[in-house]
Amino acid sequence: MFYRENGQFKTSYAADQAIFPILLDRIAIMAILLVAFLVVPLVATQYVYTGILIPFLILALATIGLNLLTGYCGQVSLGTGAFMAVGAYAAYNLVLRLPGMNLLVAFALAGGISALVGVLFGLPSLRIKGFYLAVATLAAQFFIDWVFIRIKWFTNYATNATAPELLLFGLPLDSAMRRYLVTLAIVVVMALIAKNLVRGATGRAWMAVRDMDIAAEIIGIRLLRTKLIAFAVSSFYCGVAGALWGFMHLGAWEPLTFDVNRSFQVLFMVIIGGVGSILGSFLGAAFIFAVPILINQVPAALGVPISTALSSHLEAMIFGAMIIFFLIVEPHGFARLWQLGKEKLRLWPLPH
Amino acid sequence: MTDKPRISEEVLLKVDSISLSFGGVRALSDVSFDIRKGEIRAIIGPNGAGKSSMLNCINGFYHPQEGRITYKGRERQRMLPYEAARQSIARTFQNIALFKGMSTLDNIMTGRLLKMRRGLFWQALRVGPAAREEIEHRAKVEEIIEFLQIQAVRKMPVGRLPYGLQKRVELGRALAAEPDLLLLDEPMAGMNVEEKEDMCRFILDVNEQFGTTIALIEHDMGVVMDLSDRVVVLEYGRKIADGTPDEVRADQRVIDAYLGVQRVE
C-alpha cells in the first residue's frame, strides 16, 4: 500500500537507470546502511560481531562472487572454496613476505591473484558447459586443496596460517567492532560495484551468454573473453572474501576451512537467495546463517532445549528441504519472491 | 517496387560458387549471387533448399568448403560470427534467439554492445563517461523501441512476451547494431496476417529510412513478391533462378519446383 512506484515518474534516462529507481528503496537502503554503520556499533555484543555479522558479510561477498559467475554468466562453479583459499593464502603470504603492506592493498592483490587462478580454471568453459563445467571446477577445488596442504611454502611450513596483527592506516583492528566496520565497508563498496557491473554492458554480455550463447556470438560477443571476465571478476570477489574470512573472521585457519563444503555452502546461498540477483546474495547468506542460530536459540527460549546433535540434524534437514523446495518451486529464490511481493504490493489493496 | 532510386549498382556482398557439405550431405552446391547496396534481396526455395545454410555461411556460422564470399569489396577468409558482427552484419533467427531472462530494453541494449567503449573499471564505477555512454545508448535504443512500437513492453522479460512481439524485439536487437547488412531468417514465420503486415511495414521502413541492405528468407510468396527488389531461388542446394520478382514468378523451373512437375508417361 505504501510501497509502490505509482506516481514516481521519471523524466530522464538517468533517473530511470538509477541503481534504486524507487524512492522507498532508496530510503530503505539508506536506513539499512545507517543502522549497519552507526546503530549496530552502539548495541552489538562481541558474539553478535564474531558469531553473526562478520561471517555473514563475508559469505555474502563470496555469494555475490559466485552469483556473478553462475547467476549472471551461467557458468556453474563448485570451486568457490578454492578461490577463497587462494585469496586467503595470497593475502597471508603477501603480508608475511612484504611486511608493511597496507591491508587493503594486500586484499586487493589477493583478489587479483585469485582472479588469475580463476581465469586459468575458467579456460575449459569454452568447450564444456553446465554439469561438465561444474565437474571441472570441482577438480580445481580438489587440486587447490591439495596444493595448500602439500606445498608447505604457502603455509610458511606451519599447519595453520595465522593472520598477523591487523593494522589499517596505523589503526589496530584489535576489536571485533573495528573489524566489523572495515568488513562492512569493503562489502558495501564491492556490492555496489557488482551491481554497477551487472546493470552495465558487461552484465548484459554475461546474461546474453547465459541465456543463449549462439545469439550472443551473433551480436558480436566473444564467448571465451566474456566467460573469462566473469571467472576473473567472480574469483576476485571470492578471493577477497577468502582473505577477509582468514584475517577478519578466523585469525588463524587451516586449508580445510576452504574445502568443498564451503563451495557447496556458498552455492546453496546462491540458490536459496536468488540466482542472478545481488540482493538475493545477501538474502541467501542471511538465511543460511540465520537457520542454525534460530535452531539453537528458539527452542531454548521456548523452554525445550534440544541437544546439539539434534539441532545439527535439524539444520541439515531444513537446508535440504529448502533447497529442493526452491529448485522446484522458485528457482530464482528469495529475490524472486521479494520481487513478486513488490508486484503484488503495487496493486494492493485494490487488485484489478 | 522494382526501380527504386536508392538502390545503387554497388555490390555489397558477392557470393561466388559456394559449396557446403556436411559429411555426405550437400547443403549447397555452386551457388553464386550478389546483394547490392540498399536492396531487399529475398532467398526463397522449398524446405531443405539450403536457404538458412546460405545465411549461416554469410555470417560466419558455417564455413563453405569451396567458393568465395566478397563483402564490401574484400574477399574474406574464414570468419567467425562475432567478426561478422564487427563488420556490421546483423541477423535474426528462424526460431527466435532472444535472451529470455532479460527485459526487452536489455535485449535491445545488447545489440549495441559493440559500440560501447568504456572498460570494466569505468563500468564498475559508473560515473562520468561510463554513465554518459550508457545514457547515449539508451537514447538510441529508445528510438528503436519507438520505431517498432514496443514501448509498453520495454521493461518486461522477453520470455513473457507473445510470439509476434518477440520477433519484433529480435529485429530491434539486430537494428540496434546499426548494421550495413541485415539478414532475416523467416521474419514472418508463424504470424497471423495482421502481424505479417506490421512486420512488412517495419522491414520496408528499415530499408527506406536507414538505407539498410536486407537479405531475407521467407516462405510467404505474397510477402516476398511485394517486399523484395530481387529474388534468388534455391532448390536442393542449387540456384535455379535469380531476378526480379516478376522474372522469377514466370520462370518455369521455379514453377516446377514449387508446384511439382507433371510427368507424362
Side-chain angles (χ1 to χ4, degrees):
Chain A
M1 190 172 175
F2 301 106
Y3 181 87
R4 54 176 49 184
E5 49 188 281
N6 291 10
Q8 298 187 28
F9 301 111
K10 282 89 173 188
T11 50
S12 71
Y13 294 136
D16 193 43
Q17 291 179 337
I19 187 163
F20 298 113
I22 302 174
L23 179 67
L24 245 110
D25 281 345
R26 287 198 290 276
I27 295 171
I29 289 289
M30 288 318 289
I32 290 171
L33 286 180
L34 279 178
V35 168
F37 275 105
L38 298 176
V39 180
V40 167
L42 293 177
V43 296
T45 61
Q46 178 80 10
Y47 167 73
V48 171
Y49 286 128
T50 56
I52 302 175
L53 290 175
I54 293 177
F56 155 69
L57 285 171
I58 297 172
L59 286 179
L61 187 64
T63 309
I64 291 174
L66 180 61
N67 222 333
L68 293 178
L69 181 63
T70 302
Y72 286 94
C73 197
Q75 311 298 305
V76 182
S77 164
L78 292 175
T80 317
F83 300 133
M84 288 176 77
V86 171
Y89 284 103
Y92 170 72
N93 280 293
L94 284 167
V95 175
L96 181 78
R97 289 163 213 283
L98 302 167
M101 174 179 275
N102 184 299
L103 204 55
L104 293 182
V105 175
F107 288 161
L109 287 177
I113 291 169
S114 185
L116 289 178
V117 175
V119 167
L120 190 65
F121 285 104
L123 283 172
S125 67
L126 179 67
R127 292 281 169 209
I128 52 180
K129 292 177 189 172
F131 181 68
Y132 298 94
L133 181 64
V135 173
T137 56
L138 194 61
Q141 172 75 49
F142 288 125
F143 175 70
I144 287 172
D145 278 354
W146 178 86
V147 164
F148 289 125
I149 291 172
R150 294 294 163 200
I151 303 181
K152 298 291 185 191
W153 184 83
F154 288 114
T155 52
N156 202 26
Y157 304 98
T159 326
N160 285 352
T162 310
E165 281 191 18
L166 304 175
L167 273 175
L168 190 63
F169 303 118
L171 188 75
L173 303 179
D174 48 5
S175 72
M177 194 242 285
R178 285 180 179 173
R179 287 202 298 278
Y180 160 74
L181 285 175
V182 172
T183 308
L184 178 66
I186 292 174
V187 172
V188 166
V189 169
M190 287 181 73
L192 187 70
I193 287 175
K195 187 76 191 164
N196 280 344
L197 282 180
V198 298
R199 66 203 181 99
T202 304
R204 285 193 293 269
W206 286 343
M207 290 186 276
V209 170
R210 172 195 69 188
D211 285 350
M212 187 161 283
D213 51 359
I214 290 175
E217 211 179 352
I218 286 294
I219 57 172
I221 294 173
R222 278 182 283 176
L223 295 183
L224 183 62
R225 188 164 171 264
T226 307
K227 288 176 184 174
L228 289 185
I229 290 174
F231 267 98
V233 175
S234 164
S235 304
F236 181 90
Y237 273 71
C238 293
V240 173
L244 289 172
W245 192 258
F247 280 52
M248 298 293 192
H249 179 46
L250 297 178
W253 69 94
E254 51 171 5
L256 284 180
T257 309
F258 302 108
D259 67 358
V260 70
N261 288 325
R262 180 74 60 207
S263 299
F264 278 115
Q265 185 188 28
V266 175
L267 184 64
F268 294 158
M269 289 176 176
V270 170
I271 292 171
I272 290 185
V275 176
S277 162
I278 300 295
L279 171 71
S281 304
F282 284 97
L283 296 179
F287 179 81
I288 296 239
F289 233 83
V291 166
I293 293 169
L294 289 179
I295 291 175
N296 279 327
Q297 309 278 334
V298 170
L302 293 175
V304 274
I306 55 173
S307 69
T308 44
L310 180 59
S311 74
S312 68
H313 291 321
L314 273 178
E315 192 186 313
M317 285 160 65
I318 292 177
F319 283 163
M322 288 299 286
I323 288 161
I324 293 171
F325 171 80
F326 273 109
L327 284 178
I328 294 172
V329 178
E330 189 47 86
H332 292 282
F334 277 129
R336 178 84 183 123
L337 292 179
W338 168 242
Q339 198 190 346
L340 287 175
K342 282 206 297 196
E343 282 174 19
K344 289 253 176 2
L345 270 176
R346 256 188 224 173
L347 302 177
W348 193 86
L350 297 170
H352 47 72
Chain B
M1 299 296 293
T2 42
D3 44 19
K4 284 178 283 189
R6 62 195 161 70
I7 300 175
S8 59
E9 289 299 302
E10 192 187 336
V11 172
L12 181 66
L13 180 115
K14 190 164 165 14
V15 176
D16 211 359
S17 12
I18 287 277
S19 294
L20 173 78
S21 49
F22 304 100
V25 182
R26 261 195 115 96
L28 293 169
S29 16
D30 201 25
V31 178
S32 307
F33 65 95
D34 62 6
I35 299 174
R36 289 185 201 145
K37 207 170 174 179
E39 76 174 338
I40 299 180
R41 185 74 144 124
I43 303 174
I44 64 170
N47 283 330
K51 307 180 295 291
S52 290
S53 297
M54 195 65 241
L55 284 199
N56 284 339
C57 287
I58 294 177
N59 85 333
F61 250 141
Y62 296 159
H63 302 288
Q65 282 88 2
E66 286 164 48
R68 287 182 302 278
I69 297 179
T70 315
Y71 175 62
K72 288 185 179 170
R74 285 212 346 245
E75 188 183 321
R76 43 179 238 207
Q77 303 304 316
R78 281 174 77 89
M79 178 193 265
L80 294 169
Y82 79 81
E83 291 167 322
R86 256 150 234 260
Q87 296 189 13
S88 226
I89 300 179
R91 80 171 280 182
T92 65
F93 288 82
Q94 186 175 349
N95 39 4
I96 303 168
L98 284 170
F99 310 124
K100 295 252 188 295
M102 298 162 74
S103 66
T104 300
L105 183 64
D106 279 344
N107 262 282
I108 301 179
M109 283 292 274
T110 56
R112 295 198 69 80
L113 274 177
L114 283 181
K115 300 196 179 291
M116 301 187 79
R117 291 277 164 262
R118 296 291 158 192
L120 206 59
F121 287 99
W122 278 111
Q123 290 175 35
L125 301 176
R126 204 169 167 131
V127 288
R132 272 201 299 282
E133 181 180 52
E134 193 79 15
I135 287 167
E136 278 165 26
H137 288 286
R138 171 75 189 270
K140 288 277 185 197
V141 166
E142 288 292 338
E143 283 172 21
I144 291 166
I145 288 179
E146 194 179 332
F147 173 78
L148 294 173
Q149 299 162 18
I150 44 180
Q151 295 96 325
V153 296
R154 188 188 278 128
K155 296 272 173 87
M156 257 215 248
V158 292
R160 281 200 244 161
L161 299 182
Y163 179 82
L165 283 182
Q166 290 195 12
K167 280 269 187 195
R168 269 195 223 178
V169 176
E170 201 188 10
L171 177 63
R173 186 181 65 193
L175 289 178
E178 295 173 29
D180 293 331
L181 176 60
L182 178 59
L183 311 174
L184 304 175
D185 196 346
E186 301 203 22
M188 278 154 261
M191 287 185 167
N192 63 31
V193 176
E194 205 176 320
E195 289 170 329
K196 276 185 186 173
E197 282 171 355
D198 282 345
M199 190 52 98
C200 287
R201 197 66 252 162
F202 292 135
I203 292 172
L204 285 172
D205 283 350
V206 168
N207 183 243
E208 274 164 28
Q209 288 181 19
F210 309 133
T212 311
T213 310
I214 297 173
L216 67 95
I217 294 175
E218 187 48 57
H219 274 300
D220 187 321
M221 278 305 131
V223 166
V224 169
M225 297 302 161
D226 286 349
L227 277 184
S228 44
D229 300 304
R230 290 190 304 155
V231 182
V232 56
V233 189
L234 300 179
E235 190 195 17
Y236 298 120
R238 296 179 183 280
K239 184 171 91 169
I240 57 170
D242 188 355
T244 64
D246 290 331
E247 288 166 7
V248 165
R249 202 177 350 221
D251 190 297
Q252 190 55 44
R253 292 181 64 189
V254 177
I255 296 169
D256 290 349
Y258 271 89
L259 299 179
V261 190
Q262 190 180 8
R263 295 189 189 280
V264 186
E265 292 296 322

